[in-house]
Amino acid sequence: MAFHHFERCHEVAQKFHALEKRIAAHPLAEDIWNVYDWLLAPYTLWPVDFAGLAIHIVDLLKVRRDFDSDLILLLNILDSPPKESTQAAIGAYEQTVAQGKYDSLVKQPQKFMEHEAQLQQDAELAGLWRKICQRFSTGNFEVNAKRIIRRSMSQERNFRPNLRFAWKKRKEKFDMIFDALCHRWILYGFEGDKPLLLKISANPTPHGTMIVIPRHWSFDRARDLDWAAISRLHRAHGPLRGGPKLSNNRILHRQDVVLAKRLDAECKRRGLKGSARYAYICRGMKKDENSDASWLKRLLKG
């Protein structure tokens, strides 16, 4: 799995199995195993830090300490991981993204290539980067063997926890200078001495699909992006098909479910059973009493 997922999760996953009997005897066993299932899901889909949460749970189980009420509330709220088909699709896309490849989404890569070529010849950018390298040990800020240094990540509406002025440590000064440089030249970061121009990207998140169009890009909605590929990526989340007719039908169906369950509860209070119960519900829902009862069974399961 991409994004160092194995290094992040394999040890705590093994500890879960070592504590299987203790987990089985715990009143929250199902919720605890739900956290384990999340460890196996692609990192892109994580809404919270499941590795940290799993380690905290394992530590409590080892010493047989009770879970505090806040932890119990969190475990009760947590949803199950997405279905296997979603995880497979997102996991495969993570492998592509980890290599910085978004070309499959773009129909006109020549636009990017033009801006990238201009960037490599920008003497002012190269001079400023040399000055930064002279003032800071930039090797300390590289994140992998490719010598990549990344700027601070963008977030929704720019609500970033690290968007604050800090000027005491060398790392704080470098981060602010580097972010300013990347903003001015619309960069994702540097690979050694090579500036990395920001690309068009579509990334799944736990809450939806985020599309970023760099401001250097003259955007043509019809010609620039492979919307079919982006739609396939987004549909991996499992959204329902939409449209006015489908939405109206689902609204009416949910109303029928609520009404059927209410009428069924009234039948129980009145002691109505069998044909008397079915006739009562049919009258309440304006249905033919001679119709097959399968429609009612489907509604009561809804």
Short mmCIF file of all heavy atoms in Angstrom, two decimals, residues 110-175:
data_model
loop_
_atom_site.label_atom_id
_atom_site.label_comp_id
_atom_site.label_asym_id
_atom_site.label_seq_id
_atom_site.Cartn_x
_atom_site.Cartn_y
_atom_site.Cartn_z
N GLN A 110 0.27 19.36 -22.77
CA GLN A 110 1.17 20.36 -23.36
C GLN A 110 1.14 21.67 -22.57
O GLN A 110 2.15 22.38 -22.50
CB GLN A 110 0.79 20.63 -24.82
CG GLN A 110 0.96 19.43 -25.74
CD GLN A 110 -0.26 18.50 -25.71
OE1 GLN A 110 -1.21 18.74 -24.97
NE2 GLN A 110 -0.21 17.45 -26.51
N LYS A 111 -0.02 22.00 -21.99
CA LYS A 111 -0.12 23.23 -21.19
C LYS A 111 0.85 23.17 -20.01
O LYS A 111 1.56 24.14 -19.71
CB LYS A 111 -1.54 23.41 -20.68
CG LYS A 111 -2.55 23.85 -21.72
CD LYS A 111 -3.89 24.16 -21.05
CE LYS A 111 -4.91 24.65 -22.06
NZ LYS A 111 -6.20 25.00 -21.41
N PHE A 112 0.89 22.02 -19.34
CA PHE A 112 1.79 21.86 -18.20
C PHE A 112 3.24 21.90 -18.67
O PHE A 112 4.09 22.54 -18.04
CB PHE A 112 1.49 20.55 -17.48
CG PHE A 112 2.41 20.27 -16.33
CD1 PHE A 112 2.17 20.84 -15.08
CD2 PHE A 112 3.53 19.47 -16.48
CE1 PHE A 112 3.02 20.60 -14.01
CE2 PHE A 112 4.38 19.22 -15.42
CZ PHE A 112 4.12 19.78 -14.18
N MET A 113 3.51 21.20 -19.75
CA MET A 113 4.89 21.13 -20.26
C MET A 113 5.42 22.51 -20.62
O MET A 113 6.60 22.81 -20.40
CB MET A 113 4.94 20.19 -21.47
CG MET A 113 4.65 18.74 -21.13
SD MET A 113 4.27 17.71 -22.58
CE MET A 113 5.79 17.86 -23.50
N GLU A 114 4.56 23.37 -21.17
CA GLU A 114 4.97 24.74 -21.53
C GLU A 114 5.38 25.52 -20.28
O GLU A 114 6.44 26.16 -20.24
CB GLU A 114 3.83 25.45 -22.24
CG GLU A 114 4.14 26.90 -22.58
CD GLU A 114 2.93 27.66 -23.10
OE1 GLU A 114 1.85 27.03 -23.26
OE2 GLU A 114 3.04 28.88 -23.30
N HIS A 115 4.54 25.49 -19.23
CA HIS A 115 4.85 26.21 -18.00
C HIS A 115 6.08 25.63 -17.31
O HIS A 115 6.90 26.37 -16.75
CB HIS A 115 3.64 26.15 -17.05
CG HIS A 115 2.51 27.03 -17.45
ND1 HIS A 115 2.54 28.41 -17.34
CD2 HIS A 115 1.30 26.74 -17.98
CE1 HIS A 115 1.41 28.92 -17.78
NE2 HIS A 115 0.63 27.93 -18.18
N GLU A 116 6.22 24.32 -17.37
CA GLU A 116 7.36 23.67 -16.72
C GLU A 116 8.66 24.08 -17.41
O GLU A 116 9.68 24.33 -16.75
CB GLU A 116 7.19 22.16 -16.76
CG GLU A 116 8.21 21.41 -15.93
CD GLU A 116 7.96 19.93 -15.91
OE1 GLU A 116 7.63 19.37 -16.99
OE2 GLU A 116 8.10 19.30 -14.84
N ALA A 117 8.64 24.15 -18.74
CA ALA A 117 9.85 24.56 -19.48
C ALA A 117 10.24 25.99 -19.14
O ALA A 117 11.43 26.31 -18.99
CB ALA A 117 9.59 24.42 -20.99
N GLN A 118 9.26 26.87 -19.01
CA GLN A 118 9.54 28.25 -18.63
C GLN A 118 10.15 28.32 -17.23
O GLN A 118 11.05 29.11 -16.96
CB GLN A 118 8.25 29.07 -18.68
CG GLN A 118 7.69 29.28 -20.08
CD GLN A 118 6.32 29.95 -20.07
OE1 GLN A 118 5.75 30.18 -19.01
NE2 GLN A 118 5.80 30.25 -21.24
N LEU A 119 9.65 27.47 -16.37
CA LEU A 119 10.11 27.46 -14.98
C LEU A 119 11.59 27.08 -14.90
O LEU A 119 12.35 27.67 -14.12
CB LEU A 119 9.26 26.47 -14.19
CG LEU A 119 9.25 26.58 -12.67
CD1 LEU A 119 8.63 27.90 -12.24
CD2 LEU A 119 8.46 25.42 -12.07
N GLN A 120 12.01 26.09 -15.68
CA GLN A 120 13.39 25.62 -15.64
C GLN A 120 14.37 26.72 -16.10
O GLN A 120 15.55 26.68 -15.76
CB GLN A 120 13.56 24.37 -16.51
CG GLN A 120 12.59 23.24 -16.20
CD GLN A 120 12.58 22.83 -14.74
OE1 GLN A 120 13.62 22.81 -14.08
NE2 GLN A 120 11.40 22.49 -14.22
N GLN A 121 13.86 27.67 -16.86
CA GLN A 121 14.73 28.73 -17.39
C GLN A 121 14.61 30.04 -16.60
O GLN A 121 15.18 31.05 -17.01
CB GLN A 121 14.36 28.99 -18.86
CG GLN A 121 14.55 27.77 -19.75
CD GLN A 121 13.94 27.96 -21.15
OE1 GLN A 121 13.49 29.05 -21.48
NE2 GLN A 121 13.95 26.90 -21.95
N ASP A 122 13.90 30.01 -15.49
CA ASP A 122 13.66 31.23 -14.72
C ASP A 122 14.90 31.53 -13.86
O ASP A 122 15.14 30.88 -12.83
CB ASP A 122 12.42 31.05 -13.84
CG ASP A 122 11.93 32.37 -13.26
OD1 ASP A 122 12.77 33.11 -12.70
OD2 ASP A 122 10.72 32.65 -13.34
N ALA A 123 15.68 32.52 -14.26
CA ALA A 123 16.94 32.86 -13.57
C ALA A 123 16.69 33.42 -12.18
O ALA A 123 17.45 33.15 -11.23
CB ALA A 123 17.73 33.86 -14.41
N GLU A 124 15.61 34.18 -12.01
CA GLU A 124 15.33 34.77 -10.70
C GLU A 124 15.00 33.67 -9.69
O GLU A 124 15.50 33.70 -8.55
CB GLU A 124 14.16 35.75 -10.80
CG GLU A 124 13.89 36.47 -9.47
CD GLU A 124 12.73 37.45 -9.55
OE1 GLU A 124 12.04 37.49 -10.61
OE2 GLU A 124 12.52 38.19 -8.58
N LEU A 125 14.17 32.71 -10.09
CA LEU A 125 13.84 31.60 -9.20
C LEU A 125 15.09 30.81 -8.83
O LEU A 125 15.31 30.48 -7.65
CB LEU A 125 12.81 30.68 -9.87
CG LEU A 125 12.50 29.36 -9.15
CD1 LEU A 125 11.95 29.61 -7.75
CD2 LEU A 125 11.51 28.53 -9.97
N ALA A 126 15.92 30.50 -9.82
CA ALA A 126 17.14 29.74 -9.56
C ALA A 126 18.07 30.49 -8.60
O ALA A 126 18.67 29.89 -7.69
CB ALA A 126 17.85 29.43 -10.87
N GLY A 127 18.17 31.80 -8.77
CA GLY A 127 19.03 32.59 -7.89
C GLY A 127 18.53 32.63 -6.47
O GLY A 127 19.31 32.50 -5.52
N LEU A 128 17.22 32.78 -6.29
CA LEU A 128 16.64 32.79 -4.95
C LEU A 128 16.80 31.42 -4.28
O LEU A 128 17.05 31.33 -3.06
CB LEU A 128 15.18 33.19 -5.01
CG LEU A 128 14.92 34.67 -5.30
CD1 LEU A 128 13.44 34.91 -5.58
CD2 LEU A 128 15.38 35.53 -4.12
N TRP A 129 16.64 30.36 -5.06
CA TRP A 129 16.80 29.02 -4.49
C TRP A 129 18.24 28.79 -4.03
O TRP A 129 18.48 28.21 -2.97
CB TRP A 129 16.38 27.96 -5.50
CG TRP A 129 16.53 26.55 -4.99
CD1 TRP A 129 17.32 25.57 -5.52
CD2 TRP A 129 15.92 25.97 -3.84
NE1 TRP A 129 17.24 24.42 -4.79
CE2 TRP A 129 16.37 24.64 -3.75
CE3 TRP A 129 15.02 26.44 -2.89
CZ2 TRP A 129 15.96 23.78 -2.73
CZ3 TRP A 129 14.60 25.58 -1.88
CH2 TRP A 129 15.08 24.27 -1.81
N ARG A 130 19.24 29.26 -4.81
CA ARG A 130 20.64 29.15 -4.38
C ARG A 130 20.87 29.90 -3.08
O ARG A 130 21.57 29.43 -2.18
CB ARG A 130 21.57 29.67 -5.48
CG ARG A 130 21.75 28.74 -6.65
CD ARG A 130 22.94 29.14 -7.52
NE ARG A 130 22.76 30.47 -8.10
CZ ARG A 130 22.15 30.68 -9.27
NH1 ARG A 130 21.70 29.67 -9.98
NH2 ARG A 130 22.05 31.91 -9.75
N LYS A 131 20.26 31.07 -2.96
CA LYS A 131 20.41 31.86 -1.74
C LYS A 131 19.81 31.14 -0.53
O LYS A 131 20.38 31.14 0.56
CB LYS A 131 19.74 33.23 -1.94
CG LYS A 131 20.01 34.23 -0.82
CD LYS A 131 19.41 35.59 -1.14
CE LYS A 131 20.14 36.25 -2.29
NZ LYS A 131 19.66 37.64 -2.52
N ILE A 132 18.65 30.52 -0.74
CA ILE A 132 18.01 29.75 0.35
C ILE A 132 18.90 28.58 0.76
O ILE A 132 19.11 28.32 1.95
CB ILE A 132 16.62 29.26 -0.10
CG1 ILE A 132 15.65 30.43 -0.22
CG2 ILE A 132 16.07 28.22 0.89
CD1 ILE A 132 14.30 30.05 -0.83
N CYS A 133 19.47 27.89 -0.24
CA CYS A 133 20.32 26.73 0.05
C CYS A 133 21.60 27.15 0.79
O CYS A 133 22.13 26.38 1.60
CB CYS A 133 20.70 26.01 -1.25
SG CYS A 133 19.31 25.16 -2.04
N GLN A 134 22.07 28.34 0.54
CA GLN A 134 23.26 28.84 1.24
C GLN A 134 22.95 29.18 2.70
O GLN A 134 23.81 29.04 3.57
CB GLN A 134 23.80 30.08 0.52
CG GLN A 134 24.42 29.79 -0.84
CD GLN A 134 24.66 31.05 -1.66
OE1 GLN A 134 24.40 32.17 -1.19
NE2 GLN A 134 25.13 30.87 -2.89
N ARG A 135 21.74 29.62 2.96
CA ARG A 135 21.36 30.06 4.31
C ARG A 135 20.84 28.91 5.18
O ARG A 135 20.90 28.98 6.42
CB ARG A 135 20.30 31.15 4.24
CG ARG A 135 20.80 32.44 3.59
CD ARG A 135 19.72 33.50 3.60
NE ARG A 135 19.37 33.89 4.96
CZ ARG A 135 20.03 34.79 5.69
NH1 ARG A 135 21.10 35.40 5.17
NH2 ARG A 135 19.65 35.09 6.91
N PHE A 136 20.28 27.86 4.54
CA PHE A 136 19.67 26.76 5.30
C PHE A 136 20.25 25.43 4.84
O PHE A 136 20.62 25.27 3.67
CB PHE A 136 18.16 26.73 5.09
CG PHE A 136 17.45 27.94 5.60
CD1 PHE A 136 17.21 29.03 4.75
CD2 PHE A 136 16.99 28.01 6.91
CE1 PHE A 136 16.55 30.16 5.21
CE2 PHE A 136 16.32 29.14 7.38
CZ PHE A 136 16.10 30.21 6.53
N SER A 137 20.30 24.49 5.75
CA SER A 137 20.70 23.11 5.40
C SER A 137 19.47 22.40 4.84
O SER A 137 18.75 21.70 5.55
CB SER A 137 21.24 22.38 6.63
OG SER A 137 22.37 23.04 7.15
N THR A 138 19.21 22.62 3.56
CA THR A 138 17.96 22.14 2.97
C THR A 138 17.83 20.61 2.99
O THR A 138 16.73 20.07 2.94
CB THR A 138 17.82 22.63 1.52
OG1 THR A 138 18.99 22.27 0.78
CG2 THR A 138 17.66 24.15 1.49
N GLY A 139 18.97 19.92 3.07
CA GLY A 139 18.91 18.47 3.14
C GLY A 139 18.14 17.97 4.35
O GLY A 139 17.59 16.87 4.34
N ASN A 140 18.10 18.78 5.42
CA ASN A 140 17.36 18.38 6.63
C ASN A 140 15.85 18.39 6.42
O ASN A 140 15.10 17.83 7.24
CB ASN A 140 17.69 19.34 7.79
CG ASN A 140 19.15 19.25 8.19
OD1 ASN A 140 19.79 18.21 8.02
ND2 ASN A 140 19.70 20.33 8.73
N PHE A 141 15.39 19.03 5.34
CA PHE A 141 13.96 19.16 5.11
C PHE A 141 13.45 18.26 3.99
O PHE A 141 12.27 18.29 3.65
CB PHE A 141 13.61 20.62 4.78
CG PHE A 141 14.20 21.60 5.76
CD1 PHE A 141 15.02 22.63 5.33
CD2 PHE A 141 13.95 21.48 7.13
CE1 PHE A 141 15.57 23.53 6.24
CE2 PHE A 141 14.49 22.36 8.03
CZ PHE A 141 15.30 23.39 7.60
N GLU A 142 14.35 17.45 3.42
CA GLU A 142 13.94 16.52 2.36
C GLU A 142 13.17 15.36 2.98
O GLU A 142 13.49 14.89 4.07
CB GLU A 142 15.17 16.01 1.61
CG GLU A 142 15.91 17.12 0.85
CD GLU A 142 17.26 16.68 0.32
OE1 GLU A 142 17.66 15.52 0.58
OE2 GLU A 142 17.94 17.50 -0.33
N VAL A 143 12.14 14.90 2.26
CA VAL A 143 11.23 13.91 2.84
C VAL A 143 11.46 12.49 2.32
O VAL A 143 10.89 11.54 2.86
CB VAL A 143 9.76 14.31 2.59
CG1 VAL A 143 9.44 15.62 3.28
CG2 VAL A 143 9.46 14.40 1.09
N ASN A 144 12.27 12.33 1.28
CA ASN A 144 12.51 10.99 0.77
C ASN A 144 13.84 10.95 0.01
O ASN A 144 14.56 11.95 -0.08
CB ASN A 144 11.36 10.51 -0.12
CG ASN A 144 11.07 11.48 -1.26
OD1 ASN A 144 11.97 12.14 -1.76
ND2 ASN A 144 9.82 11.56 -1.66
N ALA A 145 14.14 9.77 -0.56
CA ALA A 145 15.42 9.57 -1.24
C ALA A 145 15.53 10.39 -2.52
O ALA A 145 16.64 10.60 -3.03
CB ALA A 145 15.60 8.09 -1.56
N LYS A 146 14.41 10.85 -3.05
CA LYS A 146 14.44 11.69 -4.26
C LYS A 146 14.82 13.14 -3.94
O LYS A 146 14.84 13.98 -4.83
CB LYS A 146 13.07 11.66 -4.95
CG LYS A 146 12.72 10.31 -5.55
CD LYS A 146 11.37 10.39 -6.26
CE LYS A 146 11.01 9.08 -6.91
NZ LYS A 146 9.70 9.15 -7.63
N ARG A 147 15.04 13.42 -2.65
CA ARG A 147 15.42 14.77 -2.19
C ARG A 147 14.29 15.78 -2.39
O ARG A 147 14.53 16.95 -2.68
CB ARG A 147 16.70 15.25 -2.88
CG ARG A 147 17.93 14.38 -2.64
CD ARG A 147 19.12 14.96 -3.36
NE ARG A 147 19.39 16.31 -2.89
CZ ARG A 147 19.98 17.23 -3.66
NH1 ARG A 147 20.33 16.96 -4.90
NH2 ARG A 147 20.19 18.45 -3.18
N ILE A 148 13.07 15.33 -2.24
CA ILE A 148 11.92 16.21 -2.42
C ILE A 148 11.66 16.99 -1.13
O ILE A 148 11.66 16.44 -0.04
CB ILE A 148 10.67 15.41 -2.83
CG1 ILE A 148 10.81 14.91 -4.28
CG2 ILE A 148 9.39 16.27 -2.69
CD1 ILE A 148 9.66 14.10 -4.78
N ILE A 149 11.45 18.29 -1.29
CA ILE A 149 10.99 19.16 -0.20
C ILE A 149 9.62 19.68 -0.60
O ILE A 149 9.46 20.24 -1.69
CB ILE A 149 11.95 20.35 0.03
CG1 ILE A 149 13.37 19.84 0.30
CG2 ILE A 149 11.46 21.20 1.19
CD1 ILE A 149 14.39 20.95 0.44
N ARG A 150 8.62 19.47 0.24
CA ARG A 150 7.26 19.87 -0.08
C ARG A 150 6.88 21.12 0.68
O ARG A 150 7.25 21.30 1.85
CB ARG A 150 6.27 18.76 0.30
CG ARG A 150 6.48 17.45 -0.44
CD ARG A 150 5.41 16.44 -0.08
NE ARG A 150 5.60 15.18 -0.75
CZ ARG A 150 5.62 14.00 -0.16
NH1 ARG A 150 5.47 13.92 1.15
NH2 ARG A 150 5.78 12.89 -0.86
N ARG A 151 6.12 21.96 0.02
CA ARG A 151 5.56 23.12 0.71
C ARG A 151 4.42 22.66 1.61
O ARG A 151 4.00 21.50 1.56
CB ARG A 151 5.05 24.15 -0.29
CG ARG A 151 3.95 23.62 -1.20
CD ARG A 151 3.14 24.75 -1.77
NE ARG A 151 2.23 24.29 -2.82
CZ ARG A 151 1.10 23.65 -2.62
NH1 ARG A 151 0.73 23.32 -1.38
NH2 ARG A 151 0.32 23.28 -3.62
N SER A 152 3.90 23.57 2.43
CA SER A 152 2.76 23.24 3.27
C SER A 152 1.56 22.92 2.39
O SER A 152 1.34 23.55 1.35
CB SER A 152 2.40 24.42 4.19
OG SER A 152 3.48 24.72 5.05
N MET A 153 0.80 21.92 2.80
CA MET A 153 -0.35 21.48 2.02
C MET A 153 -1.48 22.49 2.07
O MET A 153 -1.69 23.17 3.08
CB MET A 153 -0.87 20.13 2.55
CG MET A 153 0.08 18.99 2.33
SD MET A 153 0.15 18.53 0.58
CE MET A 153 1.04 16.98 0.69
N SER A 154 -2.22 22.58 0.97
CA SER A 154 -3.44 23.38 0.95
C SER A 154 -4.54 22.60 1.65
O SER A 154 -4.53 21.37 1.67
CB SER A 154 -3.88 23.68 -0.48
OG SER A 154 -2.88 24.39 -1.17
N GLN A 155 -5.52 23.31 2.21
CA GLN A 155 -6.67 22.68 2.82
C GLN A 155 -7.93 23.47 2.48
O GLN A 155 -7.85 24.59 1.97
CB GLN A 155 -6.51 22.59 4.35
CG GLN A 155 -5.47 21.55 4.77
CD GLN A 155 -5.40 21.40 6.26
OE1 GLN A 155 -4.81 22.23 6.94
NE2 GLN A 155 -6.00 20.36 6.79
N GLU A 156 -9.07 22.86 2.76
CA GLU A 156 -10.33 23.52 2.45
C GLU A 156 -10.38 24.91 3.08
O GLU A 156 -10.11 25.09 4.26
CB GLU A 156 -11.50 22.68 2.98
CG GLU A 156 -11.62 21.32 2.30
CD GLU A 156 -12.49 20.38 3.10
OE1 GLU A 156 -12.01 19.88 4.13
OE2 GLU A 156 -13.63 20.14 2.71
N ARG A 157 -10.74 25.91 2.26
CA ARG A 157 -10.89 27.31 2.67
C ARG A 157 -9.64 27.85 3.36
O ARG A 157 -9.69 28.84 4.09
CB ARG A 157 -12.12 27.47 3.57
CG ARG A 157 -13.43 27.23 2.83
CD ARG A 157 -14.61 27.44 3.74
NE ARG A 157 -14.72 26.36 4.71
CZ ARG A 157 -15.47 26.40 5.80
NH1 ARG A 157 -16.17 27.49 6.07
NH2 ARG A 157 -15.53 25.38 6.61
N ASN A 158 -8.49 27.18 3.14
CA ASN A 158 -7.20 27.61 3.70
C ASN A 158 -7.18 27.60 5.23
O ASN A 158 -6.40 28.31 5.86
CB ASN A 158 -6.83 29.02 3.19
CG ASN A 158 -5.32 29.20 3.14
OD1 ASN A 158 -4.57 28.26 2.94
ND2 ASN A 158 -4.87 30.43 3.35
N PHE A 159 -8.06 26.78 5.85
CA PHE A 159 -8.07 26.67 7.32
C PHE A 159 -7.00 25.67 7.74
O PHE A 159 -7.27 24.50 7.99
CB PHE A 159 -9.45 26.22 7.81
CG PHE A 159 -10.52 27.28 7.69
CD1 PHE A 159 -11.84 26.98 7.95
CD2 PHE A 159 -10.19 28.58 7.34
CE1 PHE A 159 -12.82 27.95 7.85
CE2 PHE A 159 -11.16 29.56 7.23
CZ PHE A 159 -12.48 29.24 7.49
N ARG A 160 -5.75 26.16 7.79
CA ARG A 160 -4.61 25.29 8.10
C ARG A 160 -4.12 25.53 9.52
O ARG A 160 -3.88 26.68 9.91
CB ARG A 160 -3.46 25.56 7.13
CG ARG A 160 -3.72 25.08 5.73
CD ARG A 160 -2.51 25.34 4.85
NE ARG A 160 -2.41 26.75 4.46
CZ ARG A 160 -1.27 27.34 4.11
NH1 ARG A 160 -0.14 26.68 4.16
NH2 ARG A 160 -1.26 28.60 3.75
N PRO A 161 -3.95 24.47 10.30
CA PRO A 161 -3.45 24.65 11.67
C PRO A 161 -2.08 25.31 11.72
O PRO A 161 -1.75 26.01 12.68
CB PRO A 161 -3.38 23.21 12.20
CG PRO A 161 -4.31 22.42 11.33
CD PRO A 161 -4.27 23.07 9.99
N ASN A 162 -1.26 25.09 10.66
CA ASN A 162 0.10 25.63 10.67
C ASN A 162 0.19 27.01 10.03
O ASN A 162 1.29 27.54 9.84
CB ASN A 162 1.05 24.67 9.94
CG ASN A 162 0.67 24.48 8.47
OD1 ASN A 162 -0.47 24.73 8.09
ND2 ASN A 162 1.62 24.03 7.66
N LEU A 163 -0.95 27.62 9.69
CA LEU A 163 -0.91 28.95 9.09
C LEU A 163 -0.84 30.00 10.20
O LEU A 163 -1.81 30.64 10.55
CB LEU A 163 -2.15 29.18 8.20
CG LEU A 163 -2.10 30.44 7.32
CD1 LEU A 163 -0.93 30.37 6.35
CD2 LEU A 163 -3.40 30.62 6.56
N ARG A 164 0.34 30.12 10.75
CA ARG A 164 0.58 31.08 11.84
C ARG A 164 2.03 31.54 11.72
O ARG A 164 2.90 30.80 11.25
CB ARG A 164 0.32 30.45 13.20
CG ARG A 164 1.18 29.23 13.48
CD ARG A 164 0.89 28.58 14.83
NE ARG A 164 1.73 27.41 15.05
CZ ARG A 164 2.98 27.44 15.45
NH1 ARG A 164 3.57 28.61 15.69
NH2 ARG A 164 3.66 26.34 15.62
N PHE A 165 2.30 32.72 12.17
CA PHE A 165 3.65 33.25 12.08
C PHE A 165 4.49 32.71 13.23
O PHE A 165 4.15 32.85 14.41
CB PHE A 165 3.64 34.79 12.15
CG PHE A 165 5.01 35.38 12.05
CD1 PHE A 165 5.65 35.47 10.83
CD2 PHE A 165 5.66 35.84 13.19
CE1 PHE A 165 6.92 36.02 10.74
CE2 PHE A 165 6.94 36.38 13.11
CZ PHE A 165 7.57 36.47 11.87
N ALA A 166 5.59 32.04 12.87
CA ALA A 166 6.54 31.51 13.86
C ALA A 166 7.94 31.76 13.31
O ALA A 166 8.25 31.36 12.18
CB ALA A 166 6.29 30.02 14.09
N TRP A 167 8.81 32.40 14.10
CA TRP A 167 10.08 32.90 13.56
C TRP A 167 11.23 32.70 14.55
O TRP A 167 12.22 33.41 14.54
CB TRP A 167 9.93 34.38 13.22
CG TRP A 167 10.91 34.92 12.23
CD1 TRP A 167 11.94 35.78 12.48
CD2 TRP A 167 10.97 34.66 10.82
NE1 TRP A 167 12.63 36.07 11.33
CE2 TRP A 167 12.05 35.39 10.28
CE3 TRP A 167 10.21 33.86 9.96
CZ2 TRP A 167 12.38 35.35 8.94
CZ3 TRP A 167 10.54 33.83 8.62
CH2 TRP A 167 11.62 34.57 8.12
N LYS A 168 11.16 31.69 15.38
CA LYS A 168 12.21 31.47 16.37
C LYS A 168 13.19 30.38 15.91
O LYS A 168 14.41 30.55 16.01
CB LYS A 168 11.60 31.08 17.72
CG LYS A 168 10.83 32.23 18.38
CD LYS A 168 10.30 31.79 19.74
CE LYS A 168 9.56 32.94 20.42
NZ LYS A 168 9.01 32.55 21.75
N LYS A 169 12.66 29.27 15.40
CA LYS A 169 13.51 28.15 15.00
C LYS A 169 13.88 28.26 13.53
O LYS A 169 13.16 28.86 12.74
CB LYS A 169 12.80 26.82 15.27
CG LYS A 169 12.44 26.61 16.73
CD LYS A 169 11.68 25.30 16.91
CE LYS A 169 11.30 25.09 18.37
NZ LYS A 169 10.51 23.85 18.55
N ARG A 170 15.03 27.65 13.15
CA ARG A 170 15.45 27.67 11.76
C ARG A 170 14.41 27.00 10.87
O ARG A 170 14.14 27.46 9.77
CB ARG A 170 16.79 26.93 11.61
CG ARG A 170 17.95 27.59 12.33
CD ARG A 170 18.30 28.93 11.74
NE ARG A 170 18.88 28.82 10.39
CZ ARG A 170 19.07 29.87 9.59
NH1 ARG A 170 18.68 31.08 9.97
NH2 ARG A 170 19.63 29.72 8.39
N LYS A 171 13.82 25.91 11.34
CA LYS A 171 12.80 25.19 10.56
C LYS A 171 11.59 26.10 10.32
O LYS A 171 11.01 26.10 9.22
CB LYS A 171 12.36 23.94 11.33
CG LYS A 171 11.21 23.15 10.68
CD LYS A 171 11.64 22.46 9.40
CE LYS A 171 10.66 21.38 8.95
NZ LYS A 171 9.31 21.83 8.67
N GLU A 172 11.19 26.87 11.30
CA GLU A 172 10.05 27.78 11.14
C GLU A 172 10.33 28.85 10.09
O GLU A 172 9.48 29.17 9.26
CB GLU A 172 9.70 28.41 12.48
CG GLU A 172 9.17 27.41 13.51
CD GLU A 172 9.05 28.02 14.90
OE1 GLU A 172 9.71 29.05 15.16
OE2 GLU A 172 8.31 27.44 15.72
N LYS A 173 11.55 29.39 10.15
CA LYS A 173 11.92 30.41 9.17
C LYS A 173 11.97 29.82 7.76
O LYS A 173 11.48 30.43 6.79
CB LYS A 173 13.27 31.03 9.53
CG LYS A 173 13.26 31.85 10.81
CD LYS A 173 14.63 32.44 11.09
CE LYS A 173 14.61 33.31 12.34
NZ LYS A 173 15.94 33.91 12.62
N PHE A 174 12.57 28.63 7.65
CA PHE A 174 12.66 27.99 6.33
C PHE A 174 11.27 27.72 5.77
O PHE A 174 11.01 27.99 4.58
CB PHE A 174 13.45 26.68 6.41
CG PHE A 174 13.42 25.91 5.12
CD1 PHE A 174 14.27 26.24 4.08
CD2 PHE A 174 12.53 24.85 4.94
CE1 PHE A 174 14.24 25.54 2.87
CE2 PHE A 174 12.49 24.15 3.75
CZ PHE A 174 13.34 24.49 2.71
N ASP A 175 10.37 27.18 6.60
CA ASP A 175 9.03 26.85 6.12
C ASP A 175 8.31 28.07 5.56
O ASP A 175 7.67 27.99 4.50
CB ASP A 175 8.19 26.25 7.27
CG ASP A 175 8.60 24.83 7.60
OD1 ASP A 175 9.31 24.22 6.79
OD2 ASP A 175 8.21 24.34 8.68
#
